[in-house]
Amino acid sequence: MSKLSASVLRTPRGLALVSNWIGYRTIVTPLVLLISREFVLGRSLQRNWSLALPRLHWSWTFSQDHFLSKRYYSPRQLLKGCQEVLAAFSPANDASPFDDVLKLLYDHRKYFWIGIYFVLGDKVVRQAMQGPMPPCHVFEFGKGNVGTTGQSGLVKVIPDVAADATYSMCFLEVKSEIVVPIRIGGRTLGVIEVESDCPNNFGSLDRILLEGIAAMLARFLTSRGKVLVRHARERQDALPKARRATAL
């Protein structure tokens, strides 16, 4: 690159041109390829556009949703945002910050579902989530990847859940999964589970991000967030008593 072009790119106008070019390539180019594909499809179907056009409409709607509904943040930005959410927590208020932490991650990464679990005795119990409501709320140690990570304290990345015998299916859409322990001083306090509707979705950046969030949560839960762990234990201990009372 010449010195002149490099100096132009450093100006606000140059940066705007680059930004516009990236936006054009991101949205227009896939649309052109899509129209070309549907045109070929229409010819192969003897120009039966009644079949081709609905696919074109669906794909364009999906592209709009994909590009406009999500604004992706870097791991550094998300770690800073989560740190601010946890710093704003007040034990006197007793309102859990986990929903806000998960919403931040869910809104700004390509995640189909994300949840935080606590290890309570020999069970791993969900405390917060973002995404569709799953049928699974509690995992015993060794059951599913959540229960396995809660027991072992080891990160597990599953690029293809269909090939993983331990995976406990809650959603048909899920293709890949990552489970990260919330761990400090040799103790596993909980688990972060993330699922994606894309195969092999979790690379090194996602692992760095989620391990950073897990370390942050571990420090939080052993300091000002202790009250949340205590309340979760109290709720879990009250369940057998409630069931016995109902049976009587």
Side-chain angles (χ1 to χ4, degrees):
M1 182 181 291
S2 67
K3 292 183 179 179
L4 178 60
S5 59
S7 62
V8 169
L9 286 177
R10 293 193 188 99
T11 65
R13 179 173 175 77
L15 292 173
L17 289 172
V18 171
S19 176
N20 290 338
W21 181 81
I22 292 173
Y24 175 83
R25 287 291 300 274
T26 303
I27 296 175
V28 175
T29 302
L31 181 60
V32 171
L33 292 173
L34 180 62
I35 292 172
S36 301
R37 187 195 71 185
E38 295 299 339
F39 179 73
V40 172
L41 179 62
R43 289 177 58 128
S44 67
L45 294 172
Q46 298 180 349
R47 300 186 181 275
N48 187 355
W49 286 97
S50 63
L51 294 177
L53 287 177
R55 274 191 293 272
L56 177 60
H57 172 74
W58 177 87
S59 300
W60 171 241
T61 305
F62 174 80
S63 299
Q64 283 182 311
D65 292 341
H66 177 74
F67 289 116
L68 301 180
S69 65
K70 289 257 188 184
R71 181 182 177 187
Y72 293 98
Y73 286 179
S74 68
R76 180 177 295 181
Q77 289 173 301
L78 289 170
L79 286 167
K80 182 180 178 182
C82 291
Q83 190 172 24
E84 291 171 354
V85 169
L86 295 177
F89 171 75
S90 170
N93 188 350
D94 199 25
S96 170
F98 298 141
D99 287 328
D100 292 335
V101 168
L102 293 182
K103 182 168 174 53
L104 193 61
L105 297 171
Y106 186 79
D107 286 348
H108 300 295
R109 300 296 291 181
K110 187 171 176 53
Y111 297 158
F112 176 78
W113 191 91
I114 181 168
I116 292 176
Y117 296 77
F118 284 174
V119 171
L120 303 174
D122 60 352
K123 293 180 175 60
V124 189
V125 184
R126 191 179 73 233
Q127 304 298 310
M129 53 154 276
Q130 287 288 317
M133 179 62 69
C136 319
H137 175 69
V138 179
F139 292 89
E140 294 182 358
F141 275 175
K143 299 294 184 181
N145 290 315
V146 171
T148 300
T149 296
Q151 184 176 31
S152 68
L154 301 175
V155 176
K156 188 168 184 182
V157 182
I158 304 95
D160 179 9
V161 297
D164 184 71
T166 314
Y167 176 70
S168 178
M169 186 181 70
C170 291
F171 303 107
L172 293 173
E173 296 90 341
V174 172
K175 300 294 188 292
S176 57
E177 179 187 35
I178 182 171
V179 189
V180 178
I182 301 170
R183 190 171 171 84
I184 191 169
R187 286 191 304 142
T188 302
L189 307 176
V191 161
I192 301 173
E193 181 198 13
V194 186
E195 296 182 327
S196 172
D197 54 359
C198 297
N200 198 22
N201 188 59
F202 302 106
S204 57
L205 283 180
D206 287 292
R207 180 162 179 167
I208 290 169
L209 168 63
L210 295 169
E211 287 183 338
I213 297 292
M216 197 181 296
L217 289 174
R219 293 191 296 271
F220 171 76
L221 292 173
T222 52
S223 55
R224 292 182 306 114
K226 281 182 179 179
V227 62
L228 300 176
V229 179
R230 186 175 72 247
H231 288 172
R233 284 203 185 101
E234 290 170 353
R235 287 193 301 269
Q236 189 66 17
D237 292 342
L239 287 177
K241 297 176 183 177
R243 287 180 187 141
R244 283 198 298 269
T246 304
L248 292 174

